Amino acid sequence: MQEYNELVTTDACNTYLEKADKNIQSVASTFSGTAFPTTNLKVGMQCMRTDDSNNIYKLTSVSPVKWELVPSKSYVDNAVSTGVKSVVNFKGATSTAAGAAGLVPAPAKGTQTDYYLSADGTWKKVQQRTIKEVIDIVHPVGSIWETTTTDDPNVLWSGTTWVKMDAGRVLVSAGTYTENGTTYTYNLGDKGGEAKHQITIEEMPSHGHKASISNADLVGTLGAYTWDHLASGIVSAKDLAGYVKPDGHYGYYKYTINASHGHSVILSTTGGNNHHENRQPYTVINRWKRTV
């Protein structure tokens, strides 16, 4: 029933009553019909479409005209039922084909924990690894484990074998590098270095030392007399007896000055000749290497 007309006070009684009756029937039937009303439209009015499972629509706009579905329980239930029936089952993936979305296969009882849905569409139990299997992944043979505790990995992780590495050594990465024009090569397993070191002459920086020289006094005396000639110190006199001088007198002395001497040089020394500290700042830990 979709007959609706405005009521006016000038209508005759029989006309007024007929319009009112049709209006009441139209409203009571929610303007049911196979099409939406096109005249006397009012925002908020409803229409039941008898050609669409009696679904009810509501007019939300007159310019432009817009009818919107008013979902009912039966509509929702029917939509959900229809939608679910149209969904296919989940299809698992294979090595050559992708899977397809759908309903997940129902899990069996007793699989509420430790199971997961695999990409192949089946429920699988989560693989439980032993402690050793985990350690084999995290710390394979040849790896190093460091700790600030006294824990022994041989005890912590049964089935594995560990040995303590050399005490007092730091680790250096294997390989070759150049520093200040010098190339250094470190091969795996090489050892070197020392905790304390005594400098050699070749390692000593070029330097000098202060020196002091002792004085040597060169002193002598010479005295001459008619009958004698005296000498001392660095001067010596020798009487050449029997030697006749040109003027006929006897007596002649030979004088010798001996100023030969040496100086002693004293060089000051310093240093305690001890080995110097050759280690970087460090913190001591326990370091283990896995062998088996």
Side-chain angles (χ1 to χ4, degrees), residues 165-171 192-195 279-280 282 284-285 287:
M165 297 187 69
D166 294 348
R169 290 191 177 276
V170 297
L171 302 181
E194 52 189 334
R279 290 170 292 188
Q280 60 207 12
Y282 59 85
V284 178
I285 61 169
R287 178 182 292 136

Side-chain angles (χ1 to χ4, degrees), residues 240-246 249-253:
L240 300 180
Y243 179 77
V244 180
K245 295 193 297 182
H249 292 85
Y250 289 93
Y252 180 77
Y253 287 87

Side-chain angles (χ1 to χ4, degrees), residues 30-277:
T30 320
F31 292 91
S32 61
T34 59
F36 294 119
T38 58
T39 60
N40 298 317
L41 300 179
K42 301 291 183 182
V43 173
M45 66 186 298
Q46 294 183 336
C47 174
M48 179 188 292
R49 291 291 294 268
T50 57
D51 63 334
D52 185 18
S53 302
N54 290 334
N55 288 320
I56 297 175
Y57 292 82
K58 182 178 181 179
L59 185 64
T60 58
S61 173
V62 295
S63 182
V65 176
K66 184 176 182 181
W67 294 88
E68 294 185 6
L69 175 67
V70 179
S72 62
K73 182 178 182 302
S74 61
Y75 175 83
V76 173
D77 290 344
N78 181 64
V80 172
S81 177
T82 302
V84 170
K85 289 180 181 179
S86 65
V87 178
V88 297
N89 288 334
F90 176 82
K91 181 180 179 182
T94 68
S95 59
T96 58
L103 295 176
V104 175
K109 65 178 182 179
T111 59
Q112 69 274 20
T113 59
D114 301 334
Y115 279 78
Y116 67 96
L117 182 62
S118 174
D120 64 6
T122 61
W123 291 93
K124 287 185 171 60
K125 187 175 178 61
V126 176
Q127 181 181 357
Q128 301 294 330
R129 297 185 184 274
T130 65
I131 293 178
K132 182 179 181 302
E133 288 175 333
V134 174
I135 296 303
D136 286 342
I137 296 173
V138 179
H139 296 298
V141 173
S143 63
I144 293 174
W145 181 65
E146 296 179 333
T147 178
T148 58
T149 71
T150 57
D151 292 332
D152 186 341
N154 295 286
V155 177
L156 290 177
W157 305 311
S158 178
T160 63
T161 302
W162 300 76
V163 295
K164 263 192 174 182
M165 297 187 69
D166 294 348
R169 290 191 177 276
V170 297
L171 302 181
V172 175
S173 179
T176 300
Y177 83 103
T178 301
E179 179 180 308
N180 297 327
T182 301
T183 298
Y184 301 89
T185 299
Y186 296 92
N187 298 311
L188 192 63
D190 285 352
K191 294 181 180 180
E194 52 189 334
K196 292 190 175 183
H197 179 73
Q198 189 173 33
I199 294 177
T200 65
I201 293 177
E202 289 76 15
E203 297 168 337
M204 189 180 303
S206 177
H207 64 286
H209 290 275
K210 292 182 179 180
S212 60
I213 301 176
S214 61
N215 293 324
D217 294 330
L218 302 179
V219 179
T221 60
L222 176 63
Y225 299 93
T226 304
W227 63 91
D228 196 5
H229 291 267
L230 301 177
S232 66
I234 62 173
V235 181
S236 61
K238 182 178 181 181
D239 184 6
L240 300 180
Y243 179 77
V244 180
K245 295 193 297 182
D247 58 1
H249 292 85
Y250 289 93
Y252 180 77
Y253 287 87
K254 181 179 180 181
Y255 298 97
T256 303
I257 299 176
N258 184 6
S260 299
H261 66 284
H263 294 277
S264 61
V265 178
I266 300 174
L267 297 177
S268 61
T269 61
T270 186
N273 204 35
N274 292 323
H275 292 69
H276 70 85
E277 178 65 54

